Amino acid sequence: MSADSYAKELKSSNRESKVVGEIIGMTLSCTSAVLGWLVVFGGAAAIPLSGGTSAAVTYLGTSAALASSAQCGIGLARVGTEIYAPEKLDEFDSNEWYQTTSKALDYISLAGVGAAGSTTIKALSNLKKTSGKSTMDALKTLNRQERARLTKEISRQNIPNLSSKAYKKLIKSGQAKRRYSPTEINHAIRIQLKDAIGATLSFTGSAISGNVRSIAIGIYEEMQFE
């Protein structure tokens, strides 16, 4: 094989690898976007397994879903350009404004990752604390006593220093539930799992792009463990 032939084959191989990479990135972004919107809309009607969510975390979730949607659209365009006009994609990647925009979208997505991680940890902690069961076991069934304990724990986290007497008054007045139904708990767990999976996909996509190595994110929430 001549040097020219080898160079052409190497270039072709690199382009094929880049196409595969672009398809993987697009798939991660689009899947994350779909899960993100399912969580945003489905979570509005779900019980707060994490004991309530701050406005900042809610906004981060919506912003992350928007960022993933933008990344999905960009990913679709990149795949098509890489296949039909790879030189134009190389030129596009060299533009500073595009690099800045791409990093900004990654930063927003990763902020959503941090928020999802925070709420997931709190939700799992509440499930474990009140039932002693794993997430998969909780999906199968929680008995009446376990559901009552979980409901009370969520109310206590939403209302700091809530006494048992005050909690009973809230139940009698209809301002609080005695226990959530199995359907409500099952729906909330599934929403939380979708959020965690979407966050994992976003993190993986950012790791592939290399931006995750240059980011340090702190999600600050008041967490009380009693």
Side-chain angles (χ1 to χ4, degrees):
M1 180 183 294
S2 66
D4 287 342
S5 297
Y6 177 75
K8 289 180 180 179
E9 183 176 338
L10 184 61
K11 183 177 181 180
S12 175
S13 178
N14 288 336
R15 299 294 345 177
E16 289 175 359
S17 297
K18 192 170 182 181
V19 169
V20 173
E22 295 292 349
I23 291 174
I24 292 174
M26 176 199 68
T27 302
L28 291 172
S29 295
C30 293
T31 305
S32 179
V34 171
L35 290 174
W37 288 117
L38 287 175
V39 170
V40 168
F41 292 112
I47 61 175
L49 280 181
S50 59
T53 305
S54 70
V57 172
T58 301
Y59 293 146
L60 281 175
T62 303
S63 298
L66 286 169
S68 293
S69 298
Q71 289 173 319
C72 175
I74 291 172
L76 286 167
R78 288 183 63 86
V79 170
T81 306
E82 177 60 36
I83 293 174
Y84 298 107
E87 294 79 9
K88 288 187 177 180
L89 186 60
D90 291 339
E91 182 181 346
F92 198 65
D93 285 340
S94 64
N95 290 325
E96 186 174 348
W97 68 267
Y98 174 75
Q99 295 173 9
T100 302
T101 301
S102 180
K103 286 183 178 180
L105 291 173
D106 266 345
Y107 295 166
I108 295 171
S109 293
L110 287 172
V113 170
S118 172
T119 55
T120 298
I121 290 172
K122 291 174 71 176
L124 294 180
S125 174
N126 283 343
L127 281 172
K128 190 71 175 179
K129 183 178 180 179
T130 56
S131 68
K133 294 182 178 180
S134 67
T135 305
M136 292 299 103
D137 287 336
L139 268 174
K140 296 175 184 177
T141 180
L142 287 178
N143 61 39
R144 289 171 60 87
Q145 291 181 336
E146 291 167 341
R147 286 187 283 115
R149 286 198 298 269
L150 177 60
T151 304
K152 185 176 181 180
E153 181 63 26
I154 291 173
S155 295
R156 289 174 66 246
Q157 291 185 10
N158 278 325
I159 308 174
N161 303 316
L162 178 67
S163 65
S164 296
K165 185 177 180 180
Y167 179 60
K168 289 178 181 179
K169 286 184 178 180
L170 288 175
I171 292 176
K172 288 182 180 180
S173 65
Q175 294 178 277
K177 281 194 171 187
R178 185 177 299 277
R179 68 180 62 84
Y180 288 116
S181 69
T183 301
E184 289 175 312
I185 294 175
N186 191 285
H187 173 66
I189 293 175
R190 291 182 184 279
I191 287 292
Q192 199 65 62
L193 289 176
K194 289 175 184 176
D195 199 15
I197 294 170
T200 302
L201 294 176
S202 290
F203 183 85
T204 303
S206 294
I208 291 175
S209 72
N211 288 331
V212 71
R213 293 192 296 269
S214 62
I215 303 173
I217 294 179
I219 302 297
Y220 297 96
E221 282 192 297
E222 184 179 349
M223 298 178 64
Q224 295 181 348
F225 298 93
E226 300 180 16

